[in-house]
């Protein structure tokens, strides 16, 4: 009898299915096996920790969700795409230059607020040149006076441009703001424009006194 | 010299009368632009329940006196509406004449006013802000809300705000005359003060500034420019006050 046949013979005796009584050695082995099984059955039952169940259930839930949403990246992907698209649009279309931002402002008080905020920035010479050129375009007198004040605060000297704008300026308060600046920034090359301004017939007496004072003293 | 005579025309314009004159409905008007050469402008805002648009005109010339009738009004004043803006434009003077405009409008309409030659401007009870460009004469604005941009040549500027829009700049500039602004006491502003000559600064608000303000709360006329940047109540939108000749005053609303 080989080992496999011997093991099958033992199992038949253990289960009570053998046709004949076991031999002495076989009986000894059968009894030993029966004692071992009995001893195993009498061992105390170890209860698993309650948290084990919870951990298992959580693990199963996570598995189920993962199955429904293959990955967290996939879950947020549409939002990420929308955000990325918006960022791209903003990058492309939001004005990066002062002039572009200024052009989007609709009301005069908001334009003055925008100009006022520039006092807190150190402006480049290109930006200052744009502000000077804005004096030619901007029609509102209060905006022009705020611009002149800002340009002067930023230390920008533009006597030639200022004198050119002065010649056609209509509002006395703005004329005076130009003259106050030109008095400090006077250069001989602006004298012809100041003379032309002085020849205007519509000047307010206070403005005329001011321009004549500059022409006499310079 | 013949005494200057006055011709008075008092004419109320309701929507119906505008319609009679072939003018459009005024329900969707959100801005009124008023311009004249010589003469006063008086503009008063009223609640919509208390009436709508009305306009009276006082015409003054040196030679004759006659009653201006309703059908003749268009000889002196043009009225038309364009893209939600109502224009009230006095004619260009023919010789010496002045045309005073007395306008009543709903208070929730923005007003833009221009006076090319001379006259006083009075406005009252306007909620959506005002913009004024005046050449000779005083500018007195009362019970204003939102913001004001005023440019004057010769004359006092005196404006009292009942409320301000904290995001809107206020700018009051004059060539020759003092500037007084009255604000609600909790208003926060960055303030730019410029008085080139004969100036001082009176303020009922506490100023915060890096440098002291010359002639502050001292009624002594400075012969040198007063130029300062300060803040009130922590700072905020700009309050720009600038005059070539005269004092500046910032008062608290009682």
């Amino acid at each position: 009898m080989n080992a496999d046949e011997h093991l099958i013979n033992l199992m038949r005796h253990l289960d009570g299915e053998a046709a004949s009584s076991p031999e002495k050695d076989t009986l000894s082995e059968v009894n030993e096996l029966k004692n071992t099984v009995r001893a195993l059955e009498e061992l105390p039952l170890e209860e698993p920790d309650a948290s084990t169940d919870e951990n298992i259930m959580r693990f199963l839930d996570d598995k189920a969700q993962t199955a429904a949403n293959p990955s967290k990246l996939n879950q947020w992907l549409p939002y990420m795409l929308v955000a990325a698209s918006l960022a791209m649009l903003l990058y492309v279309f939001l004005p990066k230059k002062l002039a572009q931002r200024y052009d989007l402002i609709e009301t005069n008080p908001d334009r003055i607020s925008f100009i006022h905020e520039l006092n807190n920035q150190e402006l480049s010479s290109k930006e200052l040149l744009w502000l000077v050129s804005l004096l030619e375009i901007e029609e509102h007198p209060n905006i022009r006076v705020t611009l002149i004040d800002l340009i002067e605060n930023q230390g920008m000297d533009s006597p030639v441009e200022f004198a050119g704008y002065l010649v056609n300026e209509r509002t006395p308060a703005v004329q005076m703001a130009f003259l106050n600046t030109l008095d400090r920034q006077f250069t001989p090359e602006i004298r012809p424009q100041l003379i032309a301004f002085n020849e205007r017939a519509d000047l307010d007496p206070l403005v005329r006194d001011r321009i004549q004072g500059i022409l006499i003293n310079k | 010299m013949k005494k200057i005579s006055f011709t008075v025309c008092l004419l109320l314009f309701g929507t119906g009368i505008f319609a009679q004159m072939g003018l459009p409905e005024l329900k969707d008007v959100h801005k009124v632009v008023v311009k004249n050469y010589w003469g006063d402008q008086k503009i008063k805002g009223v609640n919509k329940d208390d009436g709508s648009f009305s306009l009276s005109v006082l015409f003054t010339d040196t030679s004759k006196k006659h009653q201006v009738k309703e059908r003749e009004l268009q000889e002196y004043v043009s009225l038309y509406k364009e893209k939600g803006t109502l224009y009230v434009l006095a004619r260009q003077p023919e010789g010496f004449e002045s045309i005073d405009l007395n306008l009543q409008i709903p208070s929730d309409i923005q007003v833009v006013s221009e006076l090319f030659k001379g006259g006083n401007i009075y406005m009252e009870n306007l909620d959506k802000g005002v913009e004024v460009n005046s050449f000779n004469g005083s500018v007195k604005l009362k019970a204003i809300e939102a913001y004001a941009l005023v440019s004057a040549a010769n004359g006092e500027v005196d404006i009292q705000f009942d409320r301000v829009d904290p995001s809107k700049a206020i700018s009051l500039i004059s060539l020759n005359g003092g500037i007084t602004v009255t604000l609600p006491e909790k208003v926060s502003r960055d303030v730019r003060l410029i008085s080139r000559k004969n100036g001082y600064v009176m303020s009922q608000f506490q100023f915060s500034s890096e440098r002291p303000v010359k002639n502050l709360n001292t009624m002594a006329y400075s012969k040198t420019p007063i130029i300062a940047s300060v803040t009130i109540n922590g700072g905020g939108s700009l309050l720009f006050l600038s005059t070539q000749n005269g004092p500046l005053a910032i008062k608290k609303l009682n």
Side-chain angles (χ1 to χ4, degrees):
Chain A
M1 188 183 292
N2 61 25
D4 288 340
E5 289 170 345
H6 177 66
L7 189 57
I8 289 168
N9 187 40
L10 273 179
M11 294 303 291
R12 283 181 181 151
H13 284 289
L14 272 173
D15 295 338
E17 294 173 354
S20 57
S21 298
E23 292 173 4
K24 189 179 176 184
D25 291 345
T26 302
L27 180 63
S28 169
E29 280 185 78
V30 167
N31 288 336
E32 190 178 345
L33 278 170
K34 281 182 177 176
N35 289 337
T36 302
V37 170
R38 201 176 296 119
L40 282 172
E41 286 174 352
E42 288 171 358
L43 280 174
L45 187 63
E46 189 74 24
E47 289 284 341
D49 190 337
S51 64
T52 304
D53 286 346
E54 290 172 15
N55 290 338
I56 290 170
M57 290 309 294
R58 196 179 300 122
F59 172 78
L60 292 175
D61 284 347
D62 287 348
K63 279 289 178 192
Q65 280 192 358
T66 305
N69 302 296
S71 72
K72 283 196 173 178
L73 180 66
N74 286 351
Q75 182 185 353
W76 290 101
L77 193 58
Y79 300 103
M80 291 169 72
L81 285 173
V82 170
S85 303
L86 280 175
M88 184 66 78
L89 283 171
L90 289 173
Y91 179 78
V92 172
F93 290 109
L94 258 192
K96 292 173 278 293
K97 292 179 181 174
L98 290 183
Q100 291 171 307
R101 286 162 55 198
Y102 187 80
D103 286 345
L104 292 173
I105 302 170
E106 291 182 349
T107 70
N108 292 322
D110 290 340
R111 289 188 165 200
I112 290 176
S113 293
F114 179 86
I115 294 163
H116 171 60
E117 290 298 320
L118 297 179
N119 277 298
N120 302 323
Q121 298 179 28
E122 196 171 320
L123 301 174
S124 67
S125 56
K126 199 175 173 184
E127 288 168 330
L128 286 166
L129 283 173
W130 166 71
L131 287 169
V132 172
S133 70
L134 193 56
L135 282 166
E136 190 175 20
I137 304 160
E138 187 54 70
E139 292 182 355
H140 201 286
N142 293 73
I143 295 179
R144 292 209 296 276
V145 168
T146 314
L147 274 170
I148 293 167
D149 191 46
L150 169 67
I151 292 164
E152 198 167 9
N153 287 344
Q154 290 275 338
M156 175 80 167
D157 284 2
S158 308
V160 174
E161 290 82 0
F162 275 26
Y165 302 148
L166 171 68
V167 174
N168 297 315
E169 180 58 56
R170 283 191 317 119
T171 307
V174 184
Q175 291 169 346
M176 191 59 89
F178 274 127
L179 288 172
N180 288 329
T181 303
L182 288 170
D183 192 11
R184 285 183 293 279
Q185 300 180 4
F186 182 86
T187 58
E189 60 183 322
I190 66 169
R191 181 174 285 277
Q193 286 161 308
L194 296 187
I195 291 170
F197 178 70
N198 186 42
E199 287 171 352
R200 277 175 51 172
D202 63 343
L203 296 185
D204 183 277
L206 208 61
V207 175
R208 190 171 302 285
D209 281 353
R210 188 79 173 100
I211 178 64
Q212 290 181 346
I214 293 171
L215 288 170
I216 290 167
N217 293 323
K218 298 293 180 185
Chain B
M1 187 176 149
K2 205 169 184 178
K3 191 180 174 186
I4 294 175
S5 63
F6 293 92
T7 303
V8 179
C9 170
L10 180 64
L11 190 61
L12 291 175
F13 285 91
T15 306
I17 294 175
F18 273 126
Q20 282 174 24
M21 296 174 68
L23 288 168
E25 292 279 327
L26 298 175
K27 277 184 276 188
D28 61 343
V29 168
H30 56 79
K31 182 161 123 180
V32 174
V33 175
V34 184
K35 296 185 181 184
N36 63 335
Y37 292 82
W38 291 103
D40 292 349
Q41 289 183 10
K42 293 180 184 174
I43 303 173
K44 184 179 180 184
V46 295
N47 292 331
K48 279 184 175 169
D49 298 340
D50 298 334
S52 183
F53 291 86
S54 73
L55 174 68
S56 62
V57 177
L58 176 66
F59 173 75
T60 307
D61 71 17
T62 55
S63 58
K64 55 185 179 178
K65 185 177 186 178
H66 69 279
Q67 186 80 33
V68 179
K69 292 180 181 168
E70 184 184 319
R71 65 179 179 276
E72 296 174 87
L73 185 67
Q74 289 173 87
E75 188 182 333
Y76 301 97
V77 182
S78 301
L79 294 158
Y80 64 93
K81 193 185 85 171
E82 197 173 275
K83 293 179 183 171
T85 300
L86 173 68
Y87 292 86
V88 181
L89 311 177
R91 72 178 185 184
Q92 277 198 299
E94 297 174 1
F96 178 78
E97 67 176 33
S98 73
I99 297 172
D100 294 346
L101 302 172
N102 193 347
L103 185 65
Q104 178 185 289
I105 59 173
S107 60
D108 61 349
I109 288 181
Q110 185 197 14
V111 174
V112 175
S113 150
E114 196 158 5
L115 217 163
F116 297 110
K117 297 290 186 182
N120 299 311
I121 294 178
Y122 307 95
M123 294 187 194
E124 186 179 352
N125 196 33
L126 297 168
D127 304 343
K128 295 293 181 184
V130 296
E131 298 184 18
V132 176
N133 190 10
S134 166
F135 280 72
N136 290 291
S138 63
V139 178
K140 289 188 186 297
L141 314 179
K142 191 179 169 190
I144 303 299
E145 295 190 9
Y147 76 96
L149 307 181
V150 176
S151 165
N154 291 297
E156 299 277 324
V157 175
D158 187 346
I159 175 165
Q160 177 229 304
F161 284 94
D162 279 359
R163 196 177 300 167
V164 298
D165 183 334
S167 71
K168 302 279 186 202
I170 295 169
S171 170
L172 313 175
I173 60 175
S174 175
L175 174 70
N176 186 20
I179 298 172
T180 301
V181 59
T182 304
L183 299 165
E185 65 177 340
K186 291 193 176 171
V187 160
S188 303
R189 290 273 155 176
D190 291 352
V191 186
R192 181 72 169 158
L193 301 161
I194 302 174
S195 171
R196 298 275 174 187
K197 213 164 52 171
N198 299 320
Y200 54 84
V201 178
M202 302 298 288
S203 176
Q204 293 177 341
F205 287 87
Q206 184 74 38
F207 285 166
S208 296
S209 62
E210 290 177 1
R211 299 186 198 114
V213 178
K214 204 195 299 183
N215 288 30
L216 176 60
N217 292 331
T218 306
M219 288 186 70
Y221 294 99
S222 172
K223 297 299 173 196
T224 55
I226 300 169
I227 300 174
S229 294
V230 305
T231 61
I232 54 176
N233 291 330
S237 293
L238 180 64
L239 170 63
F240 190 97
L241 307 178
S242 173
T243 179
Q244 183 70 15
N245 187 34
L248 307 172
I250 308 176
K251 296 180 179 176
K252 285 183 181 175
L253 182 67
N254 291 323

